[in-house]
Amino acid sequence: MPGQFFQKPGPELRDRVPPGQHLAKGFPVLTYGDTPIISQADWRFQVWGLATRKTFSWDDLMAMPQSEFTADFHCVTTWSKLDVQWRGVKVTDFMQAVELDPKATHVMQHCYGDYTTNISLDDFLREENFFAHTLFGEPLPAEHGGPLRLVVPHLYAWKSAKWINGLEFLSEMQLGFWERNGYHHRGEPWSEERYSSRY
Ligand SMILES: Nc1nc2c(c(=O)[nH]1)N[C@H]1C(S)=C(S)[C@@H](COP(=O)(O)O)O[C@H]1N2
Ligand SMILES: [Mo]
């Protein structure tokens, strides 16, 4: 009974909920495959490609500026969750530690568990994007991507990689897992970029 889990947004929320989306009750989990379990001690994060190769530990991440975020979350399967509260590291703060080759224009997100998703460098470097390790005041649960996930609020949530462990900087667009399987290369919810026009 979908009515138990989704509701239509009232008029006051219509400018918050993109076309074709419904409000989720609770915070659904959407994972393709198994949930990797990674301890903070074992956790490593790498950057490579058109950036100086570098590995980060959990302590390196914790030494970066920490911020609070409230963001809406839109899954392409038509549920949205408003005002999700997170804590973590802004992408722009993280990128202070990365030496980027000026030829880089695109980014592939890599994860524990082998999920990938692509994003343009412009979409990636936006001020409102962040790496999250805390959800509603608690350590980010493994099913929601803990120890660390990316959150890109202005795109559908499949662009927000859970268990993210690497960024590969590229000079051209390459497609990630869902994008190779028919999803849109960008995934902007207000223009309903759900599926690739090539399919
Ligand atoms: N590594 C990984 N990241 C992922 C996914 C996944 O299957 N694996 N699913 C994506 C999709 S389709 C959505 S809607 C969100 C769901 O996040 P949630 O499970 O925390 O709600 O994570 C995204 N990030
Ligand atoms: Mo999704």
Side-chain angles (χ1 to χ4, degrees):
M1 284 208 299
Q4 269 186 288
F5 301 103
F6 298 102
Q7 53 197 43
K8 271 210 179 333
E12 72 290 356
L13 289 178
R14 247 170 236 151
D15 61 341
R16 300 276 303 277
V17 182
Q21 296 291 110
H22 294 85
L23 293 175
K25 295 182 185 161
F27 193 178
V29 169
L30 224 113
T31 299
Y32 183 85
D34 297 331
T35 294
I37 304 293
I38 316 295
S39 70
Q40 292 174 358
D42 288 340
W43 183 88
R44 293 291 181 278
F45 188 102
Q46 300 218 342
V47 300
W48 73 95
L50 292 174
T52 307
R53 181 177 275 276
K54 203 164 166 179
T55 303
F56 298 86
S57 67
W58 193 256
D59 288 348
D60 295 332
L61 189 80
M62 290 302 114
M64 295 178 185
Q66 307 290 314
S67 314
E68 308 278 343
F69 308 89
T70 301
D72 298 344
F73 196 88
H74 309 293
C75 171
V76 70
T77 63
T78 76
W79 58 267
S80 290
K81 182 169 177 59
L82 305 184
D83 294 325
V84 186
Q85 290 173 31
W86 310 90
R87 186 172 167 76
V89 175
K90 283 176 78 160
V91 165
T92 50
D93 285 336
F94 177 86
M95 289 300 291
Q96 299 294 318
V98 174
E99 218 179 297
L100 209 55
D101 183 318
K103 288 195 285 296
T105 54
H106 290 78
V107 188
M108 188 66 77
Q109 306 174 37
H110 293 266
C111 305
Y112 289 104
D114 287 345
Y115 181 89
T116 53
T117 185
N118 60 280
I119 186 168
S120 73
L121 190 62
D122 284 348
D123 278 327
F124 177 68
L125 293 178
R126 281 171 65 143
E127 275 297 318
E128 69 267 26
N129 299 342
F130 55 94
F131 296 97
H133 53 63
T134 303
L135 173 64
F136 291 114
E138 302 288 336
L140 180 60
E143 64 269 25
H144 283 298
L148 191 81
R149 78 177 303 163
L150 183 67
V151 179
V152 178
H154 75 287
L155 300 178
Y156 282 123
W158 91 78
K159 298 293 186 178
S160 294
K162 304 196 279 190
W163 317 292
I164 191 165
N165 71 354
L167 299 171
E168 179 184 7
F169 292 93
L170 302 163
S171 60
E172 57 179 15
M173 180 168 71
Q174 290 181 17
L175 299 180
F177 172 70
W178 282 121
E179 294 85 1
R180 282 195 305 274
N181 286 284
Y183 280 42
H184 195 277
H185 65 87
R186 179 157 189 251
E188 202 285 308
W190 293 93
S191 28
E192 290 202 71
E193 293 174 342
R194 295 176 189 273
Y195 306 106
S196 161
S197 52
R198 289 175 296 118
Y199 288 81

